[in-house]
Amino acid sequence: TAHKSAKTYSLSTAQELAGLAVLVTKKDVDFEGKTIVLAHDIDLEGHQWFPIGCNEDNYWEMSPFKGTFDGRGHTIDNLYIENGWHGQALFGEVGDGVLKNFTLKGSVTTGWQAAGVVAEMERTTLENITSYCDVKTLFKSGDGGYASTAGGIVAYVVDVYVTRSGATPSQLTGLVNYGSVEIAGITEQGGGVGGIAGSLLQADDDLAIEVSHCENHGSVTARASNYADVYVKGAGGIVG
């Protein structure tokens, strides 16, 4: 990559945003200590998107983005994901990072874990993000042995070793969702669906994950194939 010593990188086109996904996913460039900014609105034109930080060869093994992504008030339009995979969103995984200040529009339909902005994150801040992204999982929890989670903004927040590592716990603040969120089914095997976050998990001895000043204006639906599959725990307007 050029300009490795730079602290800030500016993106202006869909091709450059896709290039960020390639660097994080295929080149193991996590951008820790770096800031990515959007210089303009970006139209992804409905092309199939592969998430930033999702391993293309094995989507169960993520390659997390660890930097700061600042949209500077711009819009990312026409995000499109449709597959039967896991961990699908604009970002597949973010660890110890920051995503802020942008609007996202589009749709995400995938197997077990789906969201508009980020599929899975740990010790990460999401701030001032608005999503008009419709989100849907195809499989209910237990299908294939995995839990199904879906969120308008983030599917799964998992904070572990926060206190031990001296890190800051995840914070979700100023998030607004207008998209619909639908999960194939929450069962006794877990899962969750929420307008902002599908599921939050933290270690008992860690600091609390903070959710504040968030709004959901979209529908939240948990479906099941029959009455025996209905498991109402884990569905909520803001957090599942």
Side-chain angles (χ1 to χ4, degrees), residues 72-84:
R72 292 190 172 177
H74 292 294
T75 296
I76 299 172
D77 203 357
N78 289 315
L79 172 72
Y80 174 73
I81 298 174
E82 185 171 357
N83 56 48

Side-chain angles (χ1 to χ4, degrees), residues 156-163 169-170 199-211:
Y156 190 34
V157 183
V158 51
D159 273 14
V160 294
Y161 305 123
V162 175
T163 303
S170 289
S199 182
L200 307 181
L201 174 66
Q202 66 184 70
D204 291 339
D205 61 344
D206 274 333
L207 300 173
I209 298 167
E210 178 182 331
V211 181

Side-chain angles (χ1 to χ4, degrees), residues 11-22 38 40-52 69 74-82 88-91 102-108 115-117 133:
L11 305 181
S12 299
T13 67
Q15 290 76 15
E16 289 175 344
L17 188 60
L20 174 65
V22 170
L38 294 186
H40 301 283
D41 293 346
I42 289 180
D43 188 351
L44 297 177
E45 299 181 345
H47 297 299
Q48 182 74 247
W49 178 257
F50 199 86
I52 301 165
F69 183 91
H74 292 294
T75 296
I76 299 172
D77 203 357
N78 289 315
L79 172 72
Y80 174 73
I81 298 174
E82 185 171 357
Q88 300 294 291
L90 179 66
F91 286 80
F102 63 92
T103 296
L104 178 68
K105 298 179 180 180
S107 65
V108 177
V117 177
C133 195

Side-chain angles (χ1 to χ4, degrees), residues 141-157:
S141 291
D143 289 348
Y146 304 105
S148 188
T149 55
I153 303 291
V154 54
Y156 190 34
V157 183

Side-chain angles (χ1 to χ4, degrees), residues 24-234:
V24 176
T25 303
K26 294 186 176 182
K27 304 295 184 181
D28 294 321
V29 182
D30 60 23
F31 288 91
E32 184 173 6
K34 310 286 188 179
T35 297
I36 308 295
V37 301
L38 294 186
H40 301 283
D41 293 346
I42 289 180
D43 188 351
L44 297 177
E45 299 181 345
H47 297 299
Q48 182 74 247
W49 178 257
F50 199 86
I52 301 165
C54 184
N55 191 308
E56 187 174 19
D57 297 319
N58 181 354
Y59 51 85
W60 296 104
E61 295 181 2
M62 300 293 193
S63 304
F65 174 82
K66 296 183 177 181
T68 294
F69 183 91
D70 185 352
R72 292 190 172 177
H74 292 294
T75 296
I76 299 172
D77 203 357
N78 289 315
L79 172 72
Y80 174 73
I81 298 174
E82 185 171 357
N83 56 48
W85 296 356
H86 169 87
Q88 300 294 291
L90 179 66
F91 286 80
E93 184 173 5
V94 180
D96 300 293
V98 177
L99 309 180
K100 62 182 181 179
N101 302 331
F102 63 92
T103 296
L104 178 68
K105 298 179 180 180
S107 65
V108 177
T109 301
T110 192
W112 290 273
Q113 192 182 71
V117 177
V118 56
E120 185 171 323
M121 70 182 215
E122 58 181 355
R123 303 183 300 268
T124 288
T125 294
L126 303 182
E127 181 180 2
N128 297 331
I129 299 171
T130 299
S131 177
Y132 293 85
C133 195
D134 294 324
V135 173
K136 181 179 180 179
T137 65
L138 299 172
F139 308 131
K140 68 179 184 296
S141 291
D143 289 348
Y146 304 105
S148 188
T149 55
I153 303 291
V154 54
Y156 190 34
V157 183
V158 51
D159 273 14
V160 294
Y161 305 123
V162 175
T163 303
R164 297 182 202 176
S165 64
T168 301
S170 289
Q171 298 181 38
L172 287 68
T173 181
L175 308 179
V176 182
N177 176 59
Y178 288 94
S180 63
V181 186
E182 180 179 336
I183 195 170
I186 303 169
T187 72
E188 67 279 1
Q189 295 198 30
V193 57
I196 298 299
S199 182
L200 307 181
L201 174 66
Q202 66 184 70
D204 291 339
D205 61 344
D206 274 333
L207 300 173
I209 298 167
E210 178 182 331
V211 181
S212 64
H213 301 96
C214 293
E215 302 175 16
N216 176 50
H217 301 273
S219 62
V220 176
T221 306
R223 299 194 178 278
S225 58
N226 56 60
Y227 180 79
D229 285 334
V230 175
Y231 192 73
V232 296
K233 180 181 179 182

